[in-house]
Structure formats: C-alpha cells, structure tokens
Amino acid sequence: MATIAPPITKVPNYINGHWTHSSAREWLDISNPATGEVLAQAPLSDAAEVADAVESAAAAFPEWRRTPPEDRIQPLFKLKPILEEQVDDLARILTQENGKTLTEARAELRRAIENVEVACGIPMMMQGCNLEDVARGIDEIMIRQPLGVVAAIVPFNFPGMIPFWFLPYAIATGNTFVLKPSERVPLTSRRLFELLEQTGLPRGVVNMVNGGKDAVNALLDHPKVRAISFVGSTPVARYVYERAAANGKRAQCQGGAKNHVIVLPDADMKMTTQIIGDSAFGCAGQRCLAVSVAVTVGEAQKTFRDSIREAAASLKVGNGLEEGVQMGPVITPQSRGRVESLIAAGEQQGAKVLLDGRNPKIPRHEAGNFVKPTILDGVPATSELTDTEIFGPVLSMVHANDLDEALAFLERSKYGNQASLFTSSGASARRFRYEAPAGNIGINIGVAAPMAYFPFSGWKDSFFGVLHAQGRDAIEFYTDKKIVVERWAKEHSRKF
Ligand code: NAD
C-alpha cells in the first residue's frame, strides 16, 4: 500500500503570544542539507506582518518595563531547566535543518543556556550609580532604563545560540523583543519560542517574524524599533548598520570573518593539529570563528602540513544525525557550488590542492550538500581567496619565515574576528596577544568563543558598532543612561 507523505509544515510567526499563519505570498522550502528532504516551508513575511510584531512589542513595553527586574528574570530561571531537558530534541531539529552534527548542536545549545544564566544576573548588572553632594546638598544619580522595542536579525549557522546572545539580555533589562530568524533555518527558532511560551512571559514581550530582506528592511525602517542587533555576512552587516543609523537607531552588527592561525615551530604539533582540525572543519567550516588560514612559521611548515592533511583526510563526513559522524554538509546546494568554485579559483591562482574534498560520494546521501575537508597549500598572498570568506571546510595554508612575517598576513586581512597562535613560548604568546589585530584571540585555542559573561568581540570588517553581544556590553546596549541631579530642602534631604 502506498504511504501518504505528511503535509509540509508551514512555519508560523509568533506575534502577541499567538502563533499566526503568515499571509506571505512567497514561501521557501526548508531542506535537510544532508538528505535534500523538504522539512517545511518558511514565509517571507511582509512589512505589515513585521509591523504587527513591532506593535505587539510596543504595546507590551509599558507594563513590562514597570515589572521589577527580579520578576523579569523569573521566566529565564524557568527557561533554563526547560532548555536543559529539551537539549536532545532541540539538537535533533537543529541538525536536521542546519546539517551540523548532534554533538555540535548540543554544544551550541549549551552556549545558549549560558547566556540565559548570565542574564539572570541583571538585577545586579543593570544597576546604575550615584554620588551624594556633587555640590552642597545636591546629589547625582545614574539610572539605566530600557530602550523600548528592540530587534535581532540572525544568521543560519547557529540558530540555537545566536538568538540567545540578545533575547535574554534584552527582555531582562525591560525591553520587548522581535526576532527575525534566518529564513534558511526557522525550525529551531520555532521550537525555542514554543519553549519560551511555557515560561509565563506576558504576551508581546517576545515576538518572532520569519522572512528575508523585506522583513529586515521593515524592522530597519519601523520608527518604533529602537535598536537592532545583527549577525551575518559583512556586506549585509554594513548595510544594516548604515540603514539603522540613518534611521536613528542604535545598532550592533557582527559580520563575516577570515580567521588566521599562526603555528610556530615550538608548538605541540599533535595538540595543534587536533585543535586546528576541529576549528577548520567543525560545523563544516561554517563558524564565524573557524580557522580559515594557517600561517606556518619556519619548520612548522612541513610538520604541520603533513599532520593536518592526515587528520583532515580521516574525518568521517556524513549525516550529522548518525553516530560517529564528525562533519556534516554545508547549508545549501548553492553554498556547496560556491565553496567548490572557490577551491577551483584557488587552484587556478597558484595554490596546490593538498586534499580535495570536492564531489564526495557519501553513501545513501547523494542529494546532500557535502564537501569533504579540503586543504589548499601555498595560496598566493595576492589571490582573491586571501580576502574571501569561504564559509566551508577549506583550510588555506601559507608560509612565513618568522613571527613578524606571519603577523603581516593578519594585518593585511580586512577581517578581524579571531586570530590564534600555537606555541609553547610565553614571550611569543604575549607579543601575539598584544599585537594581533582581531577582537577574539586564541592562544593554543582554535575557536576562541567568549563565554557569555565576556563580550563577543570582533574588529575591522567583522563588526560595525561599539557595544558587542553578551555580558556587560549587552546591558549597555539595551539600556539608556539617565542622569538625575537632585536638590532638596535640607529637612527633606535624600539619604542613600
Ligand atoms: P547572511 O548575511 O546571508 O544573513 C544574515 C541575516 O541577514 C539573515 O537573517 C538574512 O535573512 C538577512 N539578510 C540576508 N541578505 C539580506 C539583505 N540583502 N538585506 C537585508 N537582510 C538580509 O548570513 P548567513 O549566510 O545567514 O550567515 C553566515 C555569515 O554570518 C558568515 O559571513 C559568518 O561569518 C557570519 N557570522 C558572523 C558571526 C560573528 O559573530 N561575527 C557569527 C555567526 C555568523
């Protein structure tokens, strides 16, 4: 008997505490990158739907900002065990739509929970300061107040974590929030919002609108949106920053990357190889902190080249849901095509393909978007690849005679998200930490991802703005400072 395929889920929006069917004319198929199977359809919501979400957040704001911080964090305390209980279920959804392995998905969700934990400290972190007697009988107070409606626009590569760089801090400081997930991975966000619904948050405090660039433009232009948090590629980050600023909004926009690692000859080569391999090929190279260029110094060239080639060739590539798989596919067939054409361009421009991951055969997964680990050796400094973010499992190798020459590669890069050094020399490490032109630094670390209580930094074209995501920067970003200078008649004088 023929089986009947289940109907394709149409992903709803979440507005004012209700799941609403989008009236979008255009819907995108959401496919499992490992199998090509269509999982759902995501709406490209229009400006009117975005306006509904913003109005819902605006209506919830007056009551929410008056809710004591202690009460505002209670839903986050409830959310933490819910997320912990649901990690496996969430990881499965995430792997199905994004392609990364279950282990990677679980690790990502752990970072989301960490941000929830940190935001629970807002009654302490949001405090202002005061000073009595700035002049005789006059006191001065600095208070932090929430902004109003704030929005976050996020990328496809960490759908479980990146919304949590923003949402917990935004609402705990008293703002109301609109999330625009990546239109390529809307299912993790949908599940996260189902879980948020169980925490008792009042209607309208958190909202979600699915969509693409029209939805983004609607958020950027809506007069009631006070602040925009963005994570994605550099051209879009720059555009979002400029348009948000032109509309008088506060903006923090994290962009793309091309992360360099320097390997000195005194590094522990076994550990170095394993860590750099994880960084370059983990999440199929689709991490903004993935090592993308390895600069070997002196005799590290030969030792590291041989060991990384062997490690990369041995990685088990396949469906992230399957036991033992160490690397999944890239997100879309277009992404696969782009990665493969950049490898070809590197070859044409003079690089040697030391390990070629193009057109792999993954049994039972012929329709998946797989590229196996690839290593390009001797990429010329002047080639197009030097400055192009590949965002796939491709490690480029270049060589330098000493640390000065190696650091010059980093100086030339237009990006500054992360830079790492592998060495056993404290002096080299200190020099690197001091001079490396990037916002996140790893010393014998391949993915220098800041914990939630540190800002997620980023320099040069990897970040547009001043205040970063996470930790104290998030509190600063989501609050306005108000200064009060007070004089009272002596008998009513305020005592702090
Ligand atoms: P992307 O720039 O294509 O999309 C990001 C968001 O912008 C999505 O929500 C998308 O809908 C929206 N968008 C896309 N094109 C737009 C346009 N023309 N106008 C308005 N909005 C638009 O990025 P992606 O492919 O989803 O994610 C990968 C990129 O994100 C990589 O460049 C990666 O380095 C970067 N990233 C950076 C960080 C960081 O912390 N710096 C973290 C994760 C990812």
Side-chain angles (χ1 to χ4, degrees):
M1 203 172 74
T3 53
I4 301 167
I8 301 282
T9 312
K10 296 217 170 224
V11 183
N13 292 328
Y14 186 76
I15 298 175
N16 200 26
H18 299 292
W19 290 101
T20 55
H21 181 73
S22 170
S23 53
R25 279 196 306 255
E26 240 187 292
W27 292 73
L28 290 185
D29 280 350
I30 305 304
S31 304
N32 180 332
T35 61
E37 174 203 3
V38 177
L39 303 167
Q41 285 187 325
L44 295 185
S45 302
D46 61 17
E49 290 175 289
V50 171
D52 287 347
V54 174
E55 291 299 343
S56 142
F61 178 65
E63 179 53 30
W64 185 242
R65 71 156 286 200
R66 283 174 173 75
T67 304
E70 181 59 25
D71 294 344
R72 290 198 303 250
I73 60 173
Q74 295 311 313
L76 296 177
F77 276 113
K78 285 195 191 131
L79 184 62
K80 175 181 149 69
I82 295 176
L83 288 174
E84 276 164 347
E85 275 157 30
Q86 296 294 320
V87 156
D88 286 343
D89 178 46
L90 276 165
R92 183 161 282 275
I93 296 169
L94 207 162
T95 293
Q96 269 172 347
E97 67 175 355
N98 169 284
K100 65 179 65 175
T101 68
L102 278 177
T103 308
E104 290 167 340
R106 283 194 206 98
E108 165 178 352
L109 290 160
R110 180 59 237 157
R111 301 310 291 259
I113 295 168
E114 197 181 284
N115 278 284
V116 173
E117 291 165 352
V118 172
C120 285
I122 249 110
M124 281 287 285
M125 292 194 293
M126 198 183 164
Q127 289 175 12
C129 56
N130 57 57
L131 185 69
E132 277 186 323
D133 292 323
V134 290
R136 268 180 202 281
I138 297 181
D139 306 327
E140 192 157 329
I141 310 167
M142 190 277 279
I143 302 166
R144 283 182 204 284
Q145 295 192 333
L147 305 176
V149 179
V150 299
I153 300 155
V154 295
F156 80 84
N157 63 332
F158 282 92
M161 173 181 74
I162 292 181
F164 282 84
W165 283 353
F166 310 112
L167 184 150
Y169 304 98
I171 64 171
T173 47
N175 300 280
T176 52
F177 184 80
V178 180
L179 176 69
K180 206 296 284 171
S182 163
E183 64 275 39
R184 286 183 270 178
V185 288
L187 299 174
T188 307
S189 298
R190 182 185 65 176
R191 184 70 189 130
L192 287 168
F193 269 67
E194 284 170 357
L195 300 178
L196 274 164
E197 227 183 352
Q198 297 173 20
T199 63
L201 274 171
R203 278 187 188 170
V205 172
V206 294
N207 304 272
M208 178 176 65
V209 196
N210 290 286
K213 65 177 185 204
D214 290 348
V216 171
N217 287 337
L219 285 169
L220 295 175
D221 293 343
H222 199 295
K224 289 190 183 165
V225 176
R226 290 282 321 278
I228 296 282
S229 302
F230 173 90
V231 183
S233 57
T234 287
V236 186
R238 190 193 303 273
Y239 163 78
V240 167
Y241 188 69
E242 287 173 357
R243 189 151 168 173
N247 286 329
K249 299 182 198 316
R250 189 176 288 200
Q252 48 177 195
C253 299
Q254 299 181 221
K258 183 92 185 173
N259 303 308
H260 290 67
V261 59
I262 299 177
V263 182
L264 295 185
D266 63 6
D268 171 340
M269 217 41 83
K270 194 164 168 221
M271 176 186 81
T272 301
T273 303
Q274 192 197 328
I275 295 177
I276 294 180
D278 284 349
S279 176
F281 307 119
C283 298
Q286 299 173 119
R287 263 197 293 231
C288 69
L289 296 180
V291 160
S292 166
V293 182
V295 189
T296 52
V297 174
E299 70 242 32
Q301 183 182 23
K302 177 158 176 20
T303 41
F304 178 70
R305 188 173 52 197
D306 293 346
S307 63
I308 191 73
R309 190 192 175 287
E310 196 185 318
S314 71
L315 282 175
K316 184 165 179 207
V317 178
N319 185 339
L321 289 177
E322 290 174 9
E323 196 67 37
V325 165
Q326 294 166 299
M327 195 188 102
V330 296
I331 186 73
T332 54
Q334 294 74 15
S335 177
R336 175 188 171 171
R338 181 181 167 276
V339 171
E340 291 190 339
S341 68
L342 283 168
I343 298 169
E347 201 174 12
Q348 274 159 20
Q349 287 160 18
K352 183 171 174 224
V353 186
L354 211 59
L355 182 67
D356 193 345
R358 288 172 287 184
N359 299 311
K361 301 279 165 279
I362 310 291
R364 298 174 287 105
H365 289 82
E366 289 70 21
N369 317 319
F370 291 97
V371 185
K372 278 192 167 181
T374 298
I375 300 179
L376 295 173
D377 193 18
V379 175
T382 50
S383 88
E384 182 199 337
L385 268 197
T386 319
D387 246 354
T388 306
E389 180 181 37
I390 300 178
F391 224 53
V394 181
L395 179 67
S396 301
M397 288 184 53
V398 291
H399 184 65
N401 291 313
D402 53 31
L403 187 52
D404 288 322
E405 234 180 87
L407 278 165
F409 280 102
L410 278 63
E411 287 294 346
R412 279 198 292 270
S413 172
K414 65 179 183 181
Y415 296 107
N417 220 32
Q418 176 191 276
S420 299
L421 177 76
F422 282 75
T423 184
S424 55
S425 152
S428 304
R430 194 201 182 257
R431 177 174 172 206
F432 183 77
R433 188 183 78 192
Y434 199 83
E435 292 182 14
N440 300 293
I441 300 294
I443 306 285
N444 297 318
I445 296 285
V447 180
M451 301 295 283
Y453 29 87
F454 284 95
F456 193 106
S457 196
W459 285 12
K460 302 204 246 181
D461 279 5
S462 297
F463 182 71
F464 303 91
V466 178
L467 295 166
H468 297 272
Q470 300 194 147
R472 287 186 192 283
D473 270 29
I475 317 297
E476 290 273 343
F477 184 77
Y478 287 127
T479 56
D480 252 339
K481 294 185 198 77
K482 185 180 267 181
I483 306 298
V484 184
V485 185
E486 260 185 19
R487 172 193 282 130
W488 290 96
K490 210 171 179 184
E491 59 275 28
H492 304 303
S493 192
R494 182 189 276 258
K495 295 271 183 294
F496 287 106

PDB file of all heavy atoms in Angstrom, residues 295-298 398-407 409:
ATOM      1  N   VAL A 295      49.004  29.948   9.023  1.00  0.00           N
ATOM      2  CA  VAL A 295      50.301  30.513   8.650  1.00  0.00           C
ATOM      3  C   VAL A 295      51.362  29.727   9.422  1.00  0.00           C
ATOM      4  O   VAL A 295      51.464  29.835  10.641  1.00  0.00           O
ATOM      5  CB  VAL A 295      50.388  32.005   9.046  1.00  0.00           C
ATOM      6  CG1 VAL A 295      51.659  32.636   8.465  1.00  0.00           C
ATOM      7  CG2 VAL A 295      49.150  32.780   8.611  1.00  0.00           C
ATOM      8  N   THR A 296      52.126  28.924   8.713  1.00  0.00           N
ATOM      9  CA  THR A 296      53.166  28.147   9.401  1.00  0.00           C
ATOM     10  C   THR A 296      54.471  28.932   9.370  1.00  0.00           C
ATOM     11  O   THR A 296      54.791  29.592   8.384  1.00  0.00           O
ATOM     12  CB  THR A 296      53.369  26.776   8.723  1.00  0.00           C
ATOM     13  OG1 THR A 296      53.569  26.996   7.320  1.00  0.00           O
ATOM     14  CG2 THR A 296      52.175  25.879   8.939  1.00  0.00           C
ATOM     15  N   VAL A 297      55.196  28.831  10.472  1.00  0.00           N
ATOM     16  CA  VAL A 297      56.464  29.563  10.574  1.00  0.00           C
ATOM     17  C   VAL A 297      57.618  28.556  10.615  1.00  0.00           C
ATOM     18  O   VAL A 297      57.559  27.562  11.354  1.00  0.00           O
ATOM     19  CB  VAL A 297      56.466  30.458  11.836  1.00  0.00           C
ATOM     20  CG1 VAL A 297      57.835  31.112  12.043  1.00  0.00           C
ATOM     21  CG2 VAL A 297      55.380  31.530  11.734  1.00  0.00           C
ATOM     22  N   GLY A 298      58.651  28.837   9.811  1.00  0.00           N
ATOM     23  CA  GLY A 298      59.871  28.012   9.811  1.00  0.00           C
ATOM     24  C   GLY A 298      59.560  26.553   9.525  1.00  0.00           C
ATOM     25  O   GLY A 298      58.773  26.225   8.631  1.00  0.00           O
ATOM     26  N   VAL A 398      49.584  29.119   4.240  1.00  0.00           N
ATOM     27  CA  VAL A 398      50.629  29.995   3.724  1.00  0.00           C
ATOM     28  C   VAL A 398      51.832  29.860   4.656  1.00  0.00           C
ATOM     29  O   VAL A 398      51.703  29.337   5.762  1.00  0.00           O
ATOM     30  CB  VAL A 398      50.162  31.475   3.645  1.00  0.00           C
ATOM     31  CG1 VAL A 398      49.106  31.660   2.578  1.00  0.00           C
ATOM     32  CG2 VAL A 398      49.627  31.963   4.982  1.00  0.00           C
ATOM     33  N   HIS A 399      52.951  30.349   4.210  1.00  0.00           N
ATOM     34  CA  HIS A 399      54.169  30.144   4.990  1.00  0.00           C
ATOM     35  C   HIS A 399      54.861  31.472   5.274  1.00  0.00           C
ATOM     36  O   HIS A 399      54.820  32.388   4.455  1.00  0.00           O
ATOM     37  CB  HIS A 399      55.103  29.205   4.220  1.00  0.00           C
ATOM     38  CG  HIS A 399      56.324  28.876   5.000  1.00  0.00           C
ATOM     39  ND1 HIS A 399      56.278  28.174   6.172  1.00  0.00           N
ATOM     40  CD2 HIS A 399      57.632  29.186   4.782  1.00  0.00           C
ATOM     41  CE1 HIS A 399      57.502  28.045   6.646  1.00  0.00           C
ATOM     42  NE2 HIS A 399      58.336  28.646   5.814  1.00  0.00           N
ATOM     43  N   ALA A 400      55.472  31.560   6.455  1.00  0.00           N
ATOM     44  CA  ALA A 400      56.234  32.763   6.826  1.00  0.00           C
ATOM     45  C   ALA A 400      57.555  32.333   7.448  1.00  0.00           C
ATOM     46  O   ALA A 400      57.650  31.254   8.032  1.00  0.00           O
ATOM     47  CB  ALA A 400      55.438  33.588   7.833  1.00  0.00           C
ATOM     48  N   ASN A 401      58.560  33.211   7.351  1.00  0.00           N
ATOM     49  CA  ASN A 401      59.869  32.858   7.901  1.00  0.00           C
ATOM     50  C   ASN A 401      59.966  33.120   9.400  1.00  0.00           C
ATOM     51  O   ASN A 401      60.738  32.481  10.097  1.00  0.00           O
ATOM     52  CB  ASN A 401      60.984  33.627   7.169  1.00  0.00           C
ATOM     53  CG  ASN A 401      61.113  33.109   5.744  1.00  0.00           C
ATOM     54  OD1 ASN A 401      61.145  31.889   5.526  1.00  0.00           O
ATOM     55  ND2 ASN A 401      61.117  34.020   4.781  1.00  0.00           N
ATOM     56  N   ASP A 402      59.184  34.105   9.876  1.00  0.00           N
ATOM     57  CA  ASP A 402      59.208  34.394  11.316  1.00  0.00           C
ATOM     58  C   ASP A 402      57.874  35.007  11.729  1.00  0.00           C
ATOM     59  O   ASP A 402      56.994  35.230  10.903  1.00  0.00           O
ATOM     60  CB  ASP A 402      60.391  35.316  11.655  1.00  0.00           C
ATOM     61  CG  ASP A 402      60.397  36.559  10.783  1.00  0.00           C
ATOM     62  OD1 ASP A 402      59.284  37.000  10.382  1.00  0.00           O
ATOM     63  OD2 ASP A 402      61.479  37.092  10.480  1.00  0.00           O
ATOM     64  N   LEU A 403      57.767  35.301  13.036  1.00  0.00           N
ATOM     65  CA  LEU A 403      56.509  35.816  13.567  1.00  0.00           C
ATOM     66  C   LEU A 403      56.151  37.180  12.962  1.00  0.00           C
ATOM     67  O   LEU A 403      54.972  37.467  12.716  1.00  0.00           O
ATOM     68  CB  LEU A 403      56.595  35.892  15.103  1.00  0.00           C
ATOM     69  CG  LEU A 403      55.315  36.244  15.868  1.00  0.00           C
ATOM     70  CD1 LEU A 403      54.136  35.361  15.481  1.00  0.00           C
ATOM     71  CD2 LEU A 403      55.544  36.147  17.374  1.00  0.00           C
ATOM     72  N   ASP A 404      57.151  38.011  12.677  1.00  0.00           N
ATOM     73  CA  ASP A 404      56.876  39.318  12.047  1.00  0.00           C
ATOM     74  C   ASP A 404      56.153  39.129  10.738  1.00  0.00           C
ATOM     75  O   ASP A 404      55.139  39.774  10.449  1.00  0.00           O
ATOM     76  CB  ASP A 404      58.192  40.067  11.747  1.00  0.00           C
ATOM     77  CG  ASP A 404      58.838  40.581  13.015  1.00  0.00           C
ATOM     78  OD1 ASP A 404      58.090  41.015  13.900  1.00  0.00           O
ATOM     79  OD2 ASP A 404      60.078  40.498  13.116  1.00  0.00           O
ATOM     80  N   GLU A 405      56.719  38.237   9.923  1.00  0.00           N
ATOM     81  CA  GLU A 405      56.128  37.996   8.604  1.00  0.00           C
ATOM     82  C   GLU A 405      54.724  37.391   8.740  1.00  0.00           C
ATOM     83  O   GLU A 405      53.816  37.717   7.982  1.00  0.00           O
ATOM     84  CB  GLU A 405      57.021  36.994   7.866  1.00  0.00           C
ATOM     85  CG  GLU A 405      57.474  37.483   6.508  1.00  0.00           C
ATOM     86  CD  GLU A 405      58.349  36.415   5.846  1.00  0.00           C
ATOM     87  OE1 GLU A 405      57.812  35.507   5.177  1.00  0.00           O
ATOM     88  OE2 GLU A 405      59.567  36.521   6.029  1.00  0.00           O
ATOM     89  N   ALA A 406      54.579  36.520   9.746  1.00  0.00           N
ATOM     90  CA  ALA A 406      53.275  35.877   9.949  1.00  0.00           C
ATOM     91  C   ALA A 406      52.226  36.908  10.363  1.00  0.00           C
ATOM     92  O   ALA A 406      51.090  36.911   9.864  1.00  0.00           O
ATOM     93  CB  ALA A 406      53.400  34.785  11.008  1.00  0.00           C
ATOM     94  N   LEU A 407      52.614  37.805  11.265  1.00  0.00           N
ATOM     95  CA  LEU A 407      51.662  38.821  11.719  1.00  0.00           C
ATOM     96  C   LEU A 407      51.250  39.748  10.575  1.00  0.00           C
ATOM     97  O   LEU A 407      50.122  40.268  10.566  1.00  0.00           O
ATOM     98  CB  LEU A 407      52.271  39.640  12.870  1.00  0.00           C
ATOM     99  CG  LEU A 407      52.159  38.975  14.248  1.00  0.00           C
ATOM    100  CD1 LEU A 407      53.094  39.640  15.248  1.00  0.00           C
ATOM    101  CD2 LEU A 407      50.726  39.002  14.765  1.00  0.00           C
ATOM    102  N   PHE A 409      50.473  38.906   7.633  1.00  0.00           N
ATOM    103  CA  PHE A 409      49.303  38.331   6.950  1.00  0.00           C
ATOM    104  C   PHE A 409      48.016  38.793   7.636  1.00  0.00           C
ATOM    105  O   PHE A 409      47.015  39.087   6.995  1.00  0.00           O
ATOM    106  CB  PHE A 409      49.347  36.790   6.992  1.00  0.00           C
ATOM    107  CG  PHE A 409      50.245  36.184   5.967  1.00  0.00           C
ATOM    108  CD1 PHE A 409      51.499  35.710   6.307  1.00  0.00           C
ATOM    109  CD2 PHE A 409      49.821  36.064   4.639  1.00  0.00           C
ATOM    110  CE1 PHE A 409      52.323  35.136   5.362  1.00  0.00           C
ATOM    111  CE2 PHE A 409      50.644  35.483   3.687  1.00  0.00           C
ATOM    112  CZ  PHE A 409      51.913  35.024   4.047  1.00  0.00           C
TER     113      PHE A 409
END
